[in-house]
Amino acid sequence: MIPNSRAARIRRALVLGGAALGVVSLVAGCVRPVAGTGAAEHWSATRVAGLEITTGASGPRAGVADSRLPVAGSDGGEADRLARNAVDDVQRYWAEELPASFGRRFEPVARLVSYDSTGPGVAICGTGTGGAVNAFYCPADDTVAWDRAQLLPMLNDSFGPMAVVAVLAHELGHAVQSRLGTVDGRTSSIVREQQADCFAGNFIRWVAEGNAPHFQLSTGPGLNQILATLFFIRDGAETGFEADGAHGNAFDRVSAFQFGFGDGPGRCARIDEAEVRRRITQPAGGQLSSSGRETGDLPVNDRESLLALQETLRAAFDRGGTAGPTISPSLSACPEVTVTAPAAYCPATDTVGLDLAELARLGTSPGQGQGGIGDFAAFAEVASRYALAAQHADGFPLTGLATAQRTACLTGVWAATIVAGRGAVLQLSPGDLDEAVAEMLAPRSLIAADVNGAGIPSGFARVEAFRDGFTSGAPSPCLEKYR
């Protein structure tokens, strides 16, 4: 996150003193009726995108004969066996789905190529493979290629075999584009990649439904691993969405994948320049250079940072004149509530307590070796406890899975109020929403947790709830959907 130029002029009505950070009004806005709002969207605590949340095995099916697809350059090893089976399943899916959804026949790709990025390079699509730790689709000769020496083993070791399947499903998504003609030479890279992530989501849903011959996927931990893979292969914060080769930050890549997983291929084919520019959160290159971002993360336990956070929360949730919870720089026991760290809400005393040392650890960047995620992840965990105070004031229950999802959604509403250019004393900077994704994919996400720290085991569902709030920018849809 970055401080706005107004940060030096934070209103001194927010006084930091003694054992409290001040009084914040949180609840207003959470009960305002919205004219024209339709019936609440159906939601279930046991389902994700219409499928039951499962925790079973994910990966290759046992006892299934391997694919016999020809792969040029293969060494016959485990990495190529995994890739060959993945490509076979993806192509089986599109052989069924392309005619059903678009009335088009799906022709298998002309050539599959395996190469060793550590060995002598070979030319594929006019580019040498030496040192190319990559997987790609070449439209010029309709080829899908992958690095069996470094990329596939690294994905498998870090995230499991379904990470390899997801990456190859993305590359074959480009082959689908080629067959449908949804892109051409004028199409930007970000549109191409968002479509391919979405098409990968179509296929992965088919796997989760139990249809794939070679693979199976749970919609709890298994799907979480795929989202973690998208986080890992995201664009860096220094890459603008207009850059040649831009794929998207983690938030945008996960969003496109979720569109595909939740909707049919037609949704993916509709992704175009206008749609991407309307919802993309990754800044353009010019916005990156002019953002004035300071190096590193804000010190989240710093007095000025906490005062600025307080002001943004008041702006997001204040109903005018209604006192919100007391904010304490320490955690205390709370009757009938499990105290969570680094932030907790106690309804009995209407207090949000903070563990400043743990908050600071979480707020450090991952590169500092303290197990942190970043400043936005830390601030968002505090915001989630504020969101509980808002719900408590309006009579909503503070325990249960609906509360956890409602809290994630309201935290997304707060995040929408600090988008750069909206005048908040704290503003989102490149990479901040990716930190939210990383936090919500953690086993014990506080952003998407009830007052006791309990939440849905599906990171997919958590991120979806956060995006609901971020996209709507208003509390009412959160309160209506997650009941």
Side-chain angles (χ1 to χ4, degrees), residues 151-228:
L151 177 66
L152 267 55
M154 180 271 295
L155 290 172
N156 192 14
D157 292 345
S158 299
F159 305 105
M162 292 307 298
V164 173
V165 177
V167 166
L168 291 172
H170 169 94
E171 299 310 328
L172 281 154
H174 290 303
V176 172
Q177 291 173 335
S178 177
R179 283 145 179 77
L180 290 177
T182 57
V183 300
D184 57 30
R186 298 167 297 177
T187 305
S188 68
S189 174
I190 191 68
V191 170
R192 292 174 182 270
E193 302 304 333
Q194 287 276 287
Q195 277 192 10
D197 282 339
C198 189
F199 285 135
N202 296 150
F203 165 74
I204 292 297
R205 183 184 183 110
W206 186 72
V207 178
E209 290 173 338
N211 298 312
H214 293 98
F215 298 95
Q216 57 191 332
L217 180 73
S218 72
T219 54
L223 196 52
N224 288 355
Q225 290 177 346
I226 290 179
L227 297 191

Side-chain angles (χ1 to χ4, degrees), residues 93-94 97-98 100-102 176 180 182 195 198-199 202 259-272 275:
Y93 167 73
W94 286 114
E97 193 59 42
L98 214 67
S101 293
F102 303 103
V176 172
L180 290 177
T182 57
Q195 277 192 10
C198 189
F199 285 135
N202 296 150
F259 296 153
F261 190 92
D263 299 316
R267 172 66 179 89
C268 305
R270 291 194 298 273
I271 294 177
D272 58 14
E275 194 260 3

Side-chain angles (χ1 to χ4, degrees), residues 10-292:
I10 295 173
R11 291 190 292 273
R12 293 302 162 182
L14 299 172
V15 178
L16 179 65
L21 294 177
V23 175
V24 183
S25 296
L26 294 176
V27 296
C30 286
V31 295
R32 274 190 207 126
V34 177
T37 300
E41 180 182 343
H42 178 71
W43 174 79
S44 169
T46 64
R47 304 179 76 84
V48 54
L51 299 181
E52 288 293 326
I53 297 175
T54 57
T55 58
S58 294
R61 293 185 184 276
V64 178
D66 290 332
S67 168
R68 295 180 174 273
L69 285 175
V71 178
S74 174
D75 66 354
E78 177 60 26
D80 282 344
R81 185 183 72 85
L82 177 62
R84 182 185 287 109
N85 287 338
V87 171
D88 197 344
D89 278 12
V90 176
Q91 295 197 135
R92 285 174 185 264
Y93 167 73
W94 286 114
E96 297 175 5
E97 193 59 42
L98 214 67
S101 293
F102 303 103
R104 303 278 189 89
R105 176 182 171 83
F106 179 79
E107 294 292 341
V109 293
R111 189 169 68 136
L112 304 175
V113 180
S114 167
Y115 65 88
D116 182 346
S117 61
T118 66
V122 297
I124 302 175
C125 206
T127 302
T129 60
V133 184
N134 202 0
F136 57 89
Y137 171 70
C138 178
D141 57 6
D142 198 33
T143 294
V144 170
W146 59 81
D147 167 30
R148 68 173 180 272
Q150 295 189 78
L151 177 66
L152 267 55
M154 180 271 295
L155 290 172
N156 192 14
D157 292 345
S158 299
F159 305 105
M162 292 307 298
V164 173
V165 177
V167 166
L168 291 172
H170 169 94
E171 299 310 328
L172 281 154
H174 290 303
V176 172
Q177 291 173 335
S178 177
R179 283 145 179 77
L180 290 177
T182 57
V183 300
D184 57 30
R186 298 167 297 177
T187 305
S188 68
S189 174
I190 191 68
V191 170
R192 292 174 182 270
E193 302 304 333
Q194 287 276 287
Q195 277 192 10
D197 282 339
C198 189
F199 285 135
N202 296 150
F203 165 74
I204 292 297
R205 183 184 183 110
W206 186 72
V207 178
E209 290 173 338
N211 298 312
H214 293 98
F215 298 95
Q216 57 191 332
L217 180 73
S218 72
T219 54
L223 196 52
N224 288 355
Q225 290 177 346
I226 290 179
L227 297 191
T229 304
L230 292 173
F231 178 86
F232 178 75
I233 59 177
R234 72 196 187 279
D235 285 341
E238 72 284 354
T239 302
F241 77 82
E242 294 176 324
D244 186 28
H247 283 60
N249 61 23
F251 189 78
D252 295 331
R253 295 201 71 170
V254 167
S255 293
F257 176 88
Q258 288 185 318
F259 296 153
F261 190 92
D263 299 316
R267 172 66 179 89
C268 305
R270 291 194 298 273
I271 294 177
D272 58 14
E273 301 287 347
E275 194 260 3
V276 166
R277 288 178 178 271
R278 184 168 59 251
R279 64 170 171 80
I280 204 80
T281 65
Q282 183 173 349
Q287 292 172 314
L288 289 171
S289 61
S290 62
S291 67

